[in-house]
Amino acid sequence: MAGNLITSLLSLATNLLPSIRASVQAPSSSFSNSNNFERGRARAFEEDLERLMRTLERVKATLYDAEEREIRDRSVKLWLKELKKVAYDAEDVLSEYRYEVTRVKLEARKASEVSGSHKTKKMEYIVPIPDGMVDRLNKIRSRFDEIAKDREALQLRESDGARRLNNKLLRLPTGHMVDEASIFGRDHEIEEVINLLLFKKEKPFSVISIIGKGGLGKTTIAQLVYIDERVTRCFDLCGWVCVSEEFDVGRLTKATIESVSKINYNLSELNSLQGKLAEIVKGKRILLVLDDLWNENQSLWELFRVPFKEAKVISILITTRNKKVAKVMQTTTYFSPTNLLEDSCWQLFQHYAFSGTNYTMPPHLVNMGKDIMRKCGGLPLAVKSIASVLRHETNEEDWREILESDLWESNSLNDIFPALQISYDHLPPHLKPCFLFCSMYPKDYILEKMHLIELWISHGYIESKGKRSITEIGVEYYEELKQRSFVDDFVDYFSRGSEEHCKLHDIIHDLARLISENEHYSVQINQPLDIQKENVPQEACHLYVGGFCGYVNQFLQENLMGLRTLSIDMRGYYLYFQICNLTKFEALRVLELKGTLTRIPNFISELKHLTHLDIKSSNLETLPLSIGLLYNLQTLILDCSILDYLPESIGSLSNLGRLIIKEPINYLPHGLVNFPAIKTMKAEVEVTNVAWLKDMTDLEGNLTIKGVSNLKDAQRANMRNKCKLEGFYINCHPDYEDGWVDPAKSMLKITLKPEISVHDADFSWLESLRPHPNLKKLGVGFYSSATVPGWMCDPCSLQSIQGILLYDCDEIQSLPFNNLHTLKHLVVRDCRGFRVLQLEQLSSQLEKLEISGCCWLELITGLGNLDMLATLKICRYGLIPSIETALTEPFITYIMADALSFEWSSDACEYSEEEECSDSDDNVDERR
């Protein structure tokens, strides 16, 4: 983790040196007072910074070795802890200077705008060194010099530590994903639990408790019982609820309702929730799994089970580590899984270490693998974790190092952590801080994948490489953590969109907390007593606080000066509620505010180091003007359903690179044109023009434009300079939905206010939206002209295109595209004017062709030229008289059906009949 911090610090220093040198080299007239003193201070700051950077380079060279030895060697652990502390102090100093650089440049720009001058003199950008900053940096440099000397006493090697660890991103196989094929040795126990559920004397109310230590496979057994067909046939309704440490009756009742009914009723009061649950289960046979229970409060359990009295039969299956918890739950039957037998452990080990049990195992690794497997003590999670690491180690020396590791002999931890810590030890250095950061949140906290990646980016955990976007690299970091079993996928059926979610297994969460030594922490404040009970350690740098609004506010009076991340998740409704003063957390880089906020106070502008701000509230109507003073802000995320506009001061955030607005807004500030730094902008906005896109050259993901623009604005948008844009979708009708959007990518959706009638539109503006040749996906919809823009007919303009969608373009009679050698997917939907589809003019690399709703299509030719075609779908309305000339057997057999969908592959041809649609205009409008 220290390695990422030092790398980020070096990058920050490198970026700031030009501004410092400009102050040193500036003419005397540039300084208003005490010229020699100011110049001398700038020179001293420059010299200290350069010396500091040289020291950091030397320290960085030893960090691979230090982070390998951190777990075993207490003295190295303390050395790294001191290194991170001083690095944080240095980062604060440089961040303050970066703030001043941005402020001075902004004031100079405003001054030039007032004076009417478009050219600002270089001297107006000189940034004086703030008082005291030179002394602070000098002391920090001295502390770093001492740390650098200490590395010699610790005998830390330079660069050698990188020898074993592969620092490159790995494209790992997916063999260890959780599924039935990856479960071994539990058949007997699964059958036993099923027998307990189905074949014992039936009772109106029964509880079966699966009890065992963490990592034993309790949840896995419960999952396989839950999905067994014999079980699902026996019950009318089945539900699965993950309980975790907090037994919140209201939350659990709501979760139970959603799980058994698959409906979110948007109820919040316990009385309403219990009434609805009683109504749902009345007279039915119910199976409910409560996973990961810790509750020892009998009264809470009695309150939770009240609605189930209406059920005909209620069988509850629980998993817990504590037998006392099972007794509180009034367990009728106890079941304790055993550790896996050696044969089953070996099958599990093979599955993860050798890509399956049928793989030919290298003989020299088999015996060593069995010895390693035996040391896991029959714990499935330990076997899986170690085997996942060994999948990526290819020589005998690496395996022997794990087998002989002294971590196996650790007596200070329970029997699973030595194995899991070896997995962590073999985690590439760039992934360690990303993994540890996940433990800031409570156990069983559901994390949104892209949100987690945003936080990694904001803390500098992800290093940009080459032309690839930092988000793409972050996704690969996440996927590698998942493949190594450090994070697990989680399906959230009630989340908006198709975002991926994840969570940490309890034992993995414990491991991360153990390693980070209180640097990552979380608390739940639900009553006044919790405020005295929770004592956040001073070492905490990343803190999550959840609970009820008023109590959370009181708790945040704690003095935690070193916080870099503060995530506040509040429940309860307080009218006019606002967050307490957070200015004492002056080192904050990341701030998340989630709850019933009605106002963000102006003091937020005093958090000068803030780089990431995430606000989620259904009660927030406006943002303070002072938000424009957060000059270091790089990421702004807003999920506020009644927030209609952004303040004009947003235009001052020149370092803002990621703007994500999750609810539609009606107004963007004019200052948005000053945002050339933006790479990710995900929002749905209604504006009058697209000219403000002009300088967003780094815009990534997908862009959708709905409505009709005018020629001048379209020219100003400068679409040709957006070389990182992946998808471009043009919907010429603002009232109809888009036909094809990839929700997994960042997307900006612009709806143009109808200044021009769609029917009276001059489509010459579309010619000015010529995209960059790097574009991979193009969609055009509701284009009502027979003449297409010239760039669509120019293969040079679409030289990288891989997917094209045309929908509801009724005037186009044939494909306008030619010689697109990279095209793989073509979809044509509801283009009623289409007469001829000449596939000869397309790439022979085409893999998917879909045609639907083209009711006047007469001829398809050139199918025989498509050597790579794997999927052909035709869904039509009416007949295609001449299509037989294009299709050979086995398609002619089916061609006279009213509506067809072909699936064409090299092995088989499948088809299905669909409903026939008439060609009337009314029905076509309904389909739209």
Side-chain angles (χ1 to χ4, degrees):
M1 184 172 179
N4 294 74
L5 181 56
I6 298 300
T7 299
S8 177
L9 194 55
L10 282 167
S11 176
L12 178 57
T14 301
N15 291 334
L16 292 178
L17 268 177
S19 295
I20 302 170
R21 287 168 178 162
S23 298
V24 174
Q25 298 168 5
S28 298
S29 59
S30 299
F31 295 105
S32 56
N33 299 306
S34 305
N35 293 334
N36 293 332
F37 175 77
E38 291 285 356
R39 190 191 303 277
R41 185 157 60 174
R43 182 176 291 109
F45 193 74
E46 178 192 17
E47 291 173 354
D48 278 334
L49 186 57
E50 289 176 338
R51 288 178 61 185
L52 173 61
M53 292 173 69
R54 289 193 294 271
T55 302
L56 291 177
E57 290 288 359
R58 293 195 302 271
V59 170
K60 184 181 177 183
T62 68
L63 284 177
Y64 290 125
D65 186 35
E67 290 180 337
E68 269 192 70
R69 289 173 50 187
E70 177 183 9
I71 295 176
R72 304 172 184 80
D73 194 330
R74 184 65 186 173
S75 59
V76 173
K77 184 186 288 286
L78 292 173
W79 183 83
L80 283 170
K81 192 172 184 177
E82 178 64 18
L83 175 64
K84 284 189 283 187
K85 183 179 179 181
V86 181
Y88 280 143
D89 291 342
E91 188 181 43
D92 287 345
V93 171
L94 296 184
S95 177
E96 286 180 32
Y97 184 75
R98 180 174 61 186
Y99 184 93
E100 289 301 311
V101 170
T102 306
R103 181 186 62 79
V104 170
K105 286 185 178 181
L106 178 66
E107 290 177 356
R109 191 189 74 198
K110 289 180 177 179
S112 67
E113 291 173 354
V114 171
S115 65
S117 172
H118 296 291
K119 293 184 179 180
T120 306
K121 296 179 181 179
K122 186 175 181 180
M123 61 174 289
E124 295 177 302
Y125 288 106
I126 299 305
V127 184
I129 309 298
D131 292 339
M133 190 171 283
V134 174
D135 291 337
R136 289 168 62 192
L137 187 63
N138 183 270
K139 291 177 181 178
I140 288 169
R141 181 189 55 75
S142 298
R143 289 165 66 192
F144 268 120
D145 287 342
E146 293 176 9
I147 290 173
K149 291 178 182 178
D150 289 341
R151 71 185 176 88
E152 298 175 3
L154 293 171
Q155 297 181 336
L156 293 172
R157 299 165 299 183
E158 293 190 4
S159 302
D160 288 353
R163 181 184 64 248
R164 177 171 53 77
L165 296 175
N166 183 2
N167 221 10
K168 293 178 65 178
L169 285 173
L170 302 175
R171 298 187 178 275
L172 306 177
T174 59
H176 69 282
M177 297 296 292
V178 176
D179 57 21
E180 293 182 65
S182 65
I183 309 301
F184 301 93
R186 293 303 190 192
D187 293 346
H188 174 73
E189 288 157 305
I190 292 165
E191 286 298 318
E192 191 171 343
V193 175
I194 290 175
N195 288 338
L196 291 173
L197 272 175
L198 304 183
F199 304 121
K200 295 291 184 180
K201 184 177 179 180
E202 187 173 87
K203 300 176 182 179
F205 187 91
S206 63
V207 178
I208 300 173
S209 291
I210 304 177
I211 306 172
K213 56 191 169 185
L216 189 60
K218 303 182 298 294
T219 298
T220 299
I221 293 172
Q223 288 171 331
L224 292 173
V225 169
Y226 184 77
I227 65 175
D228 191 278
E229 289 184 0
R230 292 168 293 174
V231 173
T232 55
R233 285 199 303 264
C234 191
F235 294 93
D236 300 314
L237 295 174
C238 298
W240 180 289
V241 176
C242 182
V243 181
S244 196
E245 295 177 19
E246 184 185 11
F247 198 94
D248 184 326
V249 176
R251 179 183 71 83
L252 296 177
T253 303
K254 182 178 176 64
T256 302
I257 291 171
E258 293 177 351
S259 183
V260 299
S261 69
K262 306 298 185 290
I263 298 174
N264 185 349
Y265 288 97
N266 292 318
L267 301 174
S268 56
E269 294 294 327
L270 180 60
N271 185 55
S272 302
L273 289 166
Q274 290 193 320
K276 174 57 69 174
L277 182 56
E279 176 188 327
I280 291 171
V281 304
K282 185 175 182 179
K284 293 184 171 63
R285 300 169 60 86
I286 307 297
L287 170 65
L288 178 63
V289 177
L290 299 176
D291 185 44
D292 192 25
L293 257 71
W294 295 82
N295 174 54
E296 297 181 16
N297 189 323
Q298 181 77 42
S299 60
L300 288 178
W301 169 243
E302 293 288 352
L303 180 61
F304 173 76
R305 57 170 286 186
V306 168
F308 295 107
K309 294 179 180 179
E310 299 295 328
K312 180 180 180 181
V313 173
I314 173 68
S315 294
I316 297 180
L317 182 63
I318 74 170
T319 68
T320 182
R321 302 183 195 181
N322 191 338
K323 193 167 185 178
K324 182 180 179 180
V325 171
K327 290 180 178 178
V328 167
M329 307 296 286
Q330 299 169 299
T331 297
T332 55
T333 306
Y334 296 88
F335 179 78
S336 297
T338 60
N339 286 10
L340 280 182
L341 297 176
E342 186 169 310
D343 287 346
S344 299
C345 270
W346 181 237
Q347 286 181 295
L348 182 63
F349 188 93
Q350 287 175 279
H351 182 82
Y352 286 98
F354 299 109
S355 303
T357 56
N358 295 324
Y359 186 84
T360 302
M361 294 166 285
H364 67 286
L365 298 181
V366 172
N367 291 334
M368 205 179 305
K370 288 184 177 181
D371 289 339
I372 292 172
M373 174 270 299
R374 291 188 188 102
K375 287 199 171 190
C376 293
L379 292 172
L381 183 59
V383 174
K384 176 181 175 181
S385 299
I386 294 298
S388 294
V389 168
L390 292 173
R391 181 196 295 265
H392 314 300
E393 307 289 1
T394 57
N395 60 66
E396 186 173 350
E397 181 183 350
D398 296 328
W399 284 55
R400 190 178 306 282
E401 183 178 352
I402 289 178
L403 177 62
E404 296 175 355
S405 169
D406 56 4
L407 284 175
W408 295 101
E409 309 304 326
S410 172
N411 294 318
S412 61
L413 307 172
N414 68 39
D415 49 6
I416 193 171
F417 281 126
L420 293 179
Q421 281 199 320
I422 289 180
S423 297
Y424 174 80
D425 190 30
H426 282 69
L427 200 62
H430 62 270
L431 294 182
K432 287 183 176 180
C434 299
F435 161 61
L436 294 179
F437 186 83
C438 299
S439 68
M440 179 188 78
Y441 297 94
K443 285 185 178 179
D444 293 315
Y445 192 89
I446 308 305
L447 291 162
E448 184 181 319
K449 169 184 169 180
M450 295 309 300
H451 175 63
L452 182 60
I453 292 171
E454 293 285 350
L455 293 173
W456 292 345
I457 292 172
S458 295
H459 278 297
Y461 296 161
I462 301 175
E463 187 177 355
S464 181
K465 298 176 182 178
K467 295 182 178 180
R468 298 168 59 220
S469 73
I470 198 166
T471 302
E472 290 176 329
I473 298 171
V475 169
E476 291 195 18
Y477 280 26
Y478 172 88
E479 292 299 326
E480 188 171 0
L481 282 175
K482 187 170 71 172
Q483 299 292 356
R484 291 175 177 268
S485 303
F486 282 94
V487 298
D488 296 324
D489 281 333
F490 181 85
V491 180
D492 187 351
Y493 294 102
F494 298 99
S495 67
R496 296 179 303 177
S498 60
E499 295 90 352
E500 293 183 49
H501 294 77
C502 67
K503 60 185 289 190
L504 296 189
H505 186 284
D506 283 0
I507 300 299
I508 298 293
H509 189 280
D510 290 340
L511 172 72
R513 283 284 178 89
L514 181 77
I515 293 171
S516 66
E517 291 189 321
N518 295 326
E519 189 170 329
H520 302 82
Y521 209 80
S522 62
V523 295
Q524 287 288 140
I525 308 296
N526 295 314
Q527 54 186 337
L529 185 62
D530 292 336
I531 300 175
Q532 287 78 39
K533 184 177 67 176
E534 294 288 358
N535 184 21
V536 179
Q538 290 298 309
E539 303 94 324
C541 291
H542 310 282
L543 176 66
Y544 168 91
V545 184
F548 287 97
C549 297
Y551 305 140
V552 167
N553 237 11
Q554 295 175 45
F555 175 79
L556 288 173
Q557 303 305 320
E558 292 283 332
N559 188 21
L560 298 167
M561 300 292 292
L563 282 185
R564 322 292 277 189
T565 304
L566 179 58
S567 178
I568 304 174
D569 192 350
M570 295 166 291
R571 299 193 305 273
Y573 184 80
Y574 283 71
L575 193 61
Y576 307 121
F577 178 80
Q578 60 175 296
I579 195 66
C580 67
N581 195 329
L582 301 176
T583 54
K584 56 184 173 294
F585 307 126
E586 57 185 26
L588 274 182
R589 264 57 179 181
V590 172
L591 177 61
E592 295 183 316
L593 301 174
K594 301 179 182 180
T596 55
L597 293 168
T598 57
R599 179 172 172 265
I600 305 296
N602 283 319
F603 71 71
I604 198 170
S605 63
E606 298 179 37
L607 301 175
K608 293 184 177 181
H609 298 299
L610 207 62
T611 61
H612 180 112
L613 178 59
D614 184 349
I615 303 174
K616 180 177 182 179
S617 174
S618 58
N619 303 81
L620 187 66
E621 296 183 3
T622 60
L623 295 176
L625 290 174
S626 61
I627 199 172
L629 298 177
L630 296 174
Y631 299 137
N632 278 327
L633 198 65
Q634 297 171 16
T635 300
L636 177 60
I637 303 174
L638 301 170
D639 188 358
C640 307
S641 55
I642 61 174
L643 182 69
D644 285 335
Y645 65 93
L646 302 181
E648 288 289 343
S649 61
I650 289 285
S652 299
L653 304 180
S654 58
N655 287 316
L656 191 66
R658 316 175 68 77
L659 176 60
I660 300 175
I661 308 171
K662 296 188 177 181
E663 296 287 346
I665 60 173
N666 296 325
Y667 176 74
L668 286 177
H670 295 296
L672 200 64
V673 298
N674 298 317
F675 280 6
I678 283 191
K679 294 179 174 61
T680 299
M681 185 171 180
K682 186 174 183 179
E684 184 174 341
V685 298
E686 185 175 330
V687 292
T688 57
N689 64 71
V690 293
W692 49 272
L693 292 172
K694 176 184 176 182
D695 293 323
M696 294 186 186
T697 56
D698 291 325
L699 201 62
E700 299 172 354
N702 294 326
L703 170 64
T704 298
I705 296 179
K706 293 177 65 177
V708 176
S709 181
N710 62 60
L711 181 60
K712 190 174 182 181
D713 285 333
Q715 290 172 337
R716 289 177 176 174
N718 197 7
M719 291 301 301
R720 295 194 68 177
N721 75 349
K722 294 164 183 44
C723 60
K724 297 181 181 180
L725 205 63
E726 182 171 336
F728 186 26
Y729 306 98
I730 306 167
N731 183 342
C732 299
H733 204 304
D735 297 329
Y736 289 130
E737 288 302 315
D738 311 301
W740 187 23
V741 173
D742 184 354
K745 300 291 184 181
S746 300
M747 183 190 71
L748 174 59
K749 186 175 181 179
I750 303 170
T751 300
L752 298 172
K753 294 180 181 178
E755 293 181 337
I756 306 172
S757 168
V758 175
H759 299 290
D760 299 333
D762 174 7
F763 287 99
S764 59
W765 59 274
L766 200 56
E767 183 67 53
S768 299
L769 293 182
R770 178 189 296 263
H772 191 278
N774 287 349
L775 191 74
K776 291 181 174 61
K777 300 176 184 177
L778 172 68
V780 180
F782 299 98
Y783 180 72
S784 56
S785 173
T787 304
V788 298
W791 55 265
M792 287 190 188
C793 306
D794 181 5
C796 295
S797 297
L798 302 175
Q799 63 186 26
S800 304
I801 205 73
Q802 295 179 9
I804 291 177
L805 167 67
L806 294 178
Y807 59 100
D808 285 275
C809 298
D810 291 342
E811 300 300 320
I812 298 179
Q813 297 185 14
S814 62
L815 285 177
F817 314 106
N818 288 287
N819 299 319
L820 303 181
H821 300 297
T822 57
L823 186 65
K824 294 181 179 180
H825 294 180
L826 173 64
V827 179
V828 182
R829 296 177 185 163
D830 297 323
C831 295
R832 292 180 293 177
F834 248 70
R835 299 280 181 175
V836 178
L837 188 64
Q838 295 175 305
L839 301 177
E840 298 94 337
Q841 65 196 67
L842 297 181
S843 167
S844 61
Q845 304 300 308
L846 196 70
E847 297 174 2
K848 177 182 177 180
L849 173 62
E850 178 185 336
I851 306 165
S852 62
C854 301
C855 51
W856 297 110
L857 185 63
E858 298 173 349
L859 184 64
I860 301 178
T861 65
L863 273 174
N865 299 329
L866 306 179
D867 299 331
M868 304 298 293
L869 193 64
T871 302
L872 171 63
K873 294 185 179 181
I874 301 178
C875 179
R876 60 188 175 78
Y877 315 107
L879 298 178
I880 305 179
S882 302
I883 199 170
E884 292 89 345
T885 62
L887 298 176
T888 58
E889 291 288 351
F891 304 107
I892 296 177
T893 308
Y894 310 117
I895 204 61
M896 297 309 295
D898 289 332
L900 302 174
S901 175
F902 295 99
E903 297 289 339
W904 181 21
S905 70
S906 58
D907 298 324
C909 174
E910 300 176 359
Y911 76 100
S912 61
E913 295 191 6
E914 301 178 358
E915 291 185 6
E916 181 178 0
C917 296
S918 74
D919 298 331
S920 69
D921 290 345
D922 292 340
N923 284 338
V924 171
D925 288 338
E926 287 178 7
R927 285 187 277 110
R928 291 179 182 171

